[in-house]
Amino acid sequence: MKYPFREKIPRRWCLAFGKVDSIEKPIWQDDRLAIVGLDSSVPWVLSPSGRFVIVGDVWISDRQLRERFPDGNPALPFRDLRLVASAWERWGEETFRELVGIFGFAVWDRERQILQAGRDRVGGRTLYYTIDGTTRWIAPDSRSLLPHHSRDIDPIALRDYLCCAFVPGKRTLWRQIREVEPGTALSLPEERVRAYWELPVTDSLEEESKKSLEWHGQNLRSLLDRVVIDCLPAGEPVGVFLSGGLDSSAVTAIARKFHDAPVHTYSIHFGKDRPNELEFSGLVAQHCGTEHHILEITFRQMWQRLPETMARLDDPIGDPLTVPNLLLGNLAREAVGVILNGEGGDPCFGGPKNQPMLLDRLYGDVTGQDPVYSYLLSFQKCASDLPRLLKPEIWETVRGETSVFAEYLHANAGYLNRLMALNIKFKGADHILTKVNNLTGAVGLEGRSPLFDPRIVELSNRIPPEYKLSGVREKAVLKEAIADLLPERIVERPKSGMMVPVQRGFKEYWQREARSLLLNRKAKIAPYLERSIVRDWLRYEGDTWQRYGVKLWLLVSLEIWLQVNSK
C-alpha cells in the first residue's frame, strides 16, 4: 500500500561513527565521526575550547541550573545544548548526572576519539543506535536509521509488544537497532553501556516513614509548584491536555495559578452517545478559568489517521489513544507552542492500575503464580494468547527468554515500590513519554510532562507506599498536595481513564478494512501470527470479557507500523 505522507516526514540528524570517509555531504566531519542531516537546523555545537562536539535534543527544566551557565550570546540557537557544552568542559561524564531535564545527546571527544551518547533519567527524549557494521549510526528516532539496517524483526521484541502494546527496554522491533535506556550512556568504540543513574528500588527511609501524610503532601506541593513553573513558557500562552482526572487537573490548576499568559485546555470525546469525561474536564476548566477546547473524534478519523500516527512512532504502540494524541495536538498548535499533560501520576503516586497486581501478590503467594506472568496479564493484551497466537517456531524461539521485567519484580523491596519503579522505567519511557513527545513534536508542539520530571520521580520514591495507595484510595499524597486547588468532586472522584471505543469500532465500522489488512497472506505479520486466531477475534467468537477490540487495535497498529516503515 502506498502512503504518500511518508515523503513529508523528514528524517532528522544522524551520527556516523567508525568508517566515515564515504559519507556524502556531512554537516561536520573528522576521521571517525560525521554529523549527517538535511539542513543547518541540526542541533550541534562546539564546546568553548573546541575540544568537544555536542549534538542532540536538550531541554533543561531546572531554571536554577541555567543560571549557573549564563549565555555568552542569547541570540545564538540551541541555548540548552550550549549549556551542555559548557557543563561538559567542567564536569565531563558527570554532566549526564548533573543535568535536570529531558535530553538525548552525544559528545565527541576530539582528543581521546571517544563518543558518548546519553539519555535523560526518565526517558523524555530518545536515542537509537545500530549494533553492527564498520559504520555505527546513532539518531534521535528510529526512522532516521532506516537506510542503515535490515528489516529483520526481533522476535523477543515482538513477543513483548504483544504482551504490553509497546516494546520495553533496550530492544526495538528491528533486530539490528537498540535504544539507549533512560539514565544510561553508550560509549564507542569500547561498546560500553553504563548506568549513570538508577531509580532506587528500595523502601522509604525510616525518617521519611515517620512523617505524616500532611507533611509529605506539603513537601510534594512545593516541588510541584516549582516544576510546573519551570515548564511554563515565559510570556506566551500554554496548553494542557485535560482529561478531567486528578493528574491533568492538578497540572492545569497549578499552571493557571502561576502563568501570566492565557492557559488553553483541550479535551476529547468520541460522540455524545458514548461515555466521556467532558463533565469533569469542563468543571476543571471553568474552576480554573482556562480557555477550553473540545474535540470530537470520529471512527473514520481514527482509522484514516492511524498510518500517519504510526509513521511518527519509533516503535509500534498499540494504545488507542495514539491517534487522538495526534489530532488533539493539531488543534492545540493553532493557539500554543508548549503543551503540558498529566502523564506520570499513576506510576509515581500509585494509581488504581496497581491494585490488581497488589491483589494478585496477596493471593499469588498462595497459588504460586509467577510474578512476571501476573504482571504481563495485568496489561490485558495478548500475554495469555501467545502459545496460540504466535507461529509454533516463533513461540519456541521466545518462550524461554527472560522478561525485562523480571529483575524489578524479584527485587528486595516493598512490592508497590517495585511496581512503580518498573512502570516508570519501562511504561513511562517506552510508552507514555515517547507517545506524547513524538506525536506532539510531529505537529510542531513542545510537549512537557511535569509529573514525570526527574525531581518528582525521585521525590515520589521517598514517599511511604501507604501514602500512595492504601486500600481503595489511590494517590493519597497527591490528593493531599493539591486539595486546595480543585473542587472536592475532582479530587476524590475514582479514576475511570479515557476509554476509546475500539470494541465498537471493529464491530460496526472497521470490520472489512481490518479483515483485509490482517488476514492478507502478504501482510507483514503473516510469517509470525496464526491467521485462525485473528479470524476468531474479528468474528468476536468467545469474547467473554469484551477484550477483542483492544487486541485487534494492537495488531492493526503493528501491521500498519511495519508497512509505513518498509522500504
Side-chain angles (χ1 to χ4, degrees):
M1 184 177 293
K2 295 182 178 179
Y3 295 106
F5 63 81
R6 287 192 300 185
E7 304 304 321
K8 300 179 182 179
I9 302 176
R11 292 189 176 122
R12 301 176 67 198
W13 56 268
C14 279
L15 289 181
F17 173 81
K19 183 177 174 54
V20 299
D21 54 312
S22 61
I23 302 294
E24 295 184 4
K25 298 180 180 180
I27 292 174
W28 185 92
Q29 183 175 6
D30 69 5
D31 291 341
R32 302 193 69 189
L33 187 84
I35 303 174
V36 181
L38 296 178
D39 53 45
S40 59
S41 66
V42 173
W44 77 281
V45 298
L46 284 171
S47 68
S49 71
R51 174 179 171 178
F52 302 105
V53 181
I54 298 92
V55 56
D57 301 313
V58 179
W59 177 64
I60 301 302
S61 59
D62 186 352
R63 297 184 183 185
Q64 293 181 4
L65 182 61
R66 284 203 186 111
E67 294 171 359
R68 299 173 65 179
F69 296 92
D71 290 318
N73 184 351
L76 292 174
F78 312 130
R79 175 187 179 187
D80 286 355
L81 196 61
R82 287 185 282 116
L83 183 155
V84 171
S86 297
W88 199 273
E89 292 207 329
R90 180 184 301 182
W91 295 322
E93 294 183 23
E94 287 300 305
T95 302
F96 288 127
R97 193 188 306 274
E98 294 288 338
L99 295 179
V100 180
I102 55 177
F103 57 80
F105 67 86
V107 179
W108 174 239
D109 187 333
R110 301 170 71 183
E111 291 183 9
R112 298 174 60 203
Q113 297 283 287
I114 292 176
L115 179 66
Q116 298 190 66
R119 189 177 174 197
D120 66 82
R121 286 172 272 180
V122 297
R125 291 288 184 267
T126 50
L127 282 176
Y128 298 88
Y129 60 97
T130 58
I131 60 174
D132 51 27
T134 56
T135 304
R136 303 287 292 277
W137 295 86
I138 299 174
D141 60 287
S142 65
R143 182 175 177 80
S144 295
L145 295 177
L146 284 176
H148 309 300
H149 66 87
S150 74
R151 299 302 187 273
D152 295 337
I153 291 177
D154 183 334
I156 300 172
L158 174 63
R159 175 203 66 181
D160 293 346
Y161 170 80
L162 294 172
C163 291
C164 307
F166 65 94
V167 180
K170 64 184 179 182
R171 293 182 183 274
T172 74
L173 206 60
W174 300 127
R175 189 189 294 268
Q176 293 180 315
I177 300 298
R178 292 289 184 268
E179 182 178 13
V180 177
E181 293 187 270
T184 66
L186 165 71
S187 295
L188 296 174
E190 56 267 59
E191 304 277 348
R192 179 171 63 99
V193 176
R194 68 179 179 90
Y196 69 82
W197 179 86
E198 291 186 47
L199 181 66
V201 188
T202 60
D203 294 322
S204 304
L205 298 175
E206 183 178 354
E207 57 267 28
E208 301 285 351
S209 300
K210 293 179 179 179
K211 294 174 179 175
S212 67
L213 173 62
E214 292 74 19
W215 184 92
H216 284 284
Q218 292 172 4
N219 194 37
L220 172 59
R221 173 60 177 279
S222 177
L223 183 58
L224 277 174
D225 287 351
R226 177 183 169 188
V227 167
V228 173
I229 290 171
D230 287 347
C231 290
L232 299 173
E236 299 177 7
V238 69
V240 186
F241 288 156
L242 175 62
S243 69
L246 179 68
D247 307 329
S248 61
S249 298
V251 171
T252 298
I254 297 173
R256 178 65 280 174
K257 179 178 180 179
F258 291 106
H259 201 39
D260 56 2
V263 175
H264 295 258
T265 46
Y266 299 89
S267 301
I268 62 171
H269 69 105
F270 299 93
K272 295 181 180 178
D273 61 333
R274 298 174 186 95
N276 62 69
E277 295 189 290
L278 295 182
E279 174 187 359
F280 302 105
S281 61
L283 174 60
V284 174
Q286 182 180 22
H287 178 81
C288 296
T290 68
E291 298 184 28
H292 195 46
H293 311 262
I294 298 173
L295 177 65
E296 179 178 349
I297 298 175
T298 66
F299 285 105
R300 182 179 180 183
Q301 287 175 307
M302 286 286 291
W303 190 267
Q304 288 184 338
R305 299 301 292 273
L306 183 57
E308 179 187 354
T309 303
M310 288 298 107
R312 301 287 188 172
L313 298 174
D314 299 312
D315 261 326
I317 294 177
D319 179 352
L321 280 171
T322 51
V323 176
N325 280 153
L326 184 67
L327 295 177
L328 199 58
N330 269 317
L331 174 62
R333 189 65 188 91
E334 296 175 5
V336 302
V338 173
I339 191 83
L340 311 185
N341 59 70
E343 303 287 7
D346 281 357
C348 286
F349 299 107
K353 290 183 179 180
N354 290 290
Q355 289 175 338
M357 282 298 294
L358 293 174
L359 290 173
D360 181 81
R361 172 69 174 182
L362 178 63
Y363 295 106
D365 285 343
V366 177
T367 63
Q369 190 173 55
D370 177 65
V372 174
Y373 185 61
S374 297
Y375 182 71
L376 294 176
L377 289 178
S378 73
F379 285 95
Q380 297 186 324
K381 298 300 188 294
C382 302
S384 63
D385 304 302
L386 291 184
R388 298 181 303 119
L389 178 61
L390 291 173
K391 296 274 190 182
E393 63 274 18
I394 304 298
W395 174 237
E396 287 302 315
T397 299
V398 304
R399 64 183 302 180
E401 294 291 333
T402 303
S403 170
V404 295
F405 305 131
E407 178 183 354
Y408 282 77
L409 289 170
H410 293 107
N412 293 320
Y415 193 61
L416 179 60
N417 277 358
R418 279 186 275 159
L419 276 181
M420 293 173 62
L422 187 152
N423 289 335
I424 289 168
K425 179 170 182 177
F426 296 109
K427 188 171 184 180
D430 298 322
H431 174 190
I432 298 171
L433 288 175
T434 187
K435 176 192 70 174
V436 172
N437 291 334
N438 280 31
L439 298 179
T440 54
V443 299
L445 280 173
E446 175 72 26
R448 297 176 183 173
S449 307
L451 297 183
F452 258 130
D453 186 277
R455 293 167 289 181
I456 296 291
V457 170
E458 290 177 339
L459 177 62
S460 74
N461 193 60
R462 300 195 299 269
I463 296 173
E466 61 268 23
Y467 294 155
K468 302 172 197 173
L469 184 60
S470 179
V472 297
R473 189 170 191 255
E474 72 273 3
K475 303 182 188 177
V477 67
L478 182 58
K479 292 176 178 179
E480 179 71 24
I482 52 87
D484 63 311
L485 292 175
L486 293 165
E488 183 178 3
R489 188 179 173 198
I490 298 296
V491 175
E492 296 299 337
R493 67 176 285 241
K495 181 181 177 69
S496 59
M498 179 60 66
M499 301 301 295
V500 185
V502 291
Q503 186 84 356
R504 182 172 177 180
F506 284 104
K507 276 188 174 181
E508 300 180 15
Y509 295 90
W510 308 324
Q511 181 71 217
R512 180 182 300 177
E513 292 89 344
R515 290 182 65 86
S516 176
L517 185 74
L518 298 178
L519 299 182
N520 191 319
R521 294 188 181 277
K522 294 184 179 180
K524 301 291 184 181
I525 60 173
Y528 303 93
L529 305 184
E530 293 285 1
R531 296 170 75 244
S532 60
I533 304 302
V534 179
R535 186 181 293 111
D536 290 344
W537 290 354
L538 285 164
R539 294 171 179 165
Y540 283 87
E541 294 183 0
D543 190 15
T544 305
W545 303 105
Q546 299 287 297
R547 299 298 303 173
Y548 284 4
V550 171
K551 296 178 181 183
L552 289 169
W553 184 267
L554 181 148
L555 296 185
V556 164
S557 298
L558 172 64
E559 174 64 23
I560 290 179
W561 187 88
L562 288 169
Q563 289 189 13
V564 298
N565 284 288
S566 63
K567 292 183 179 179

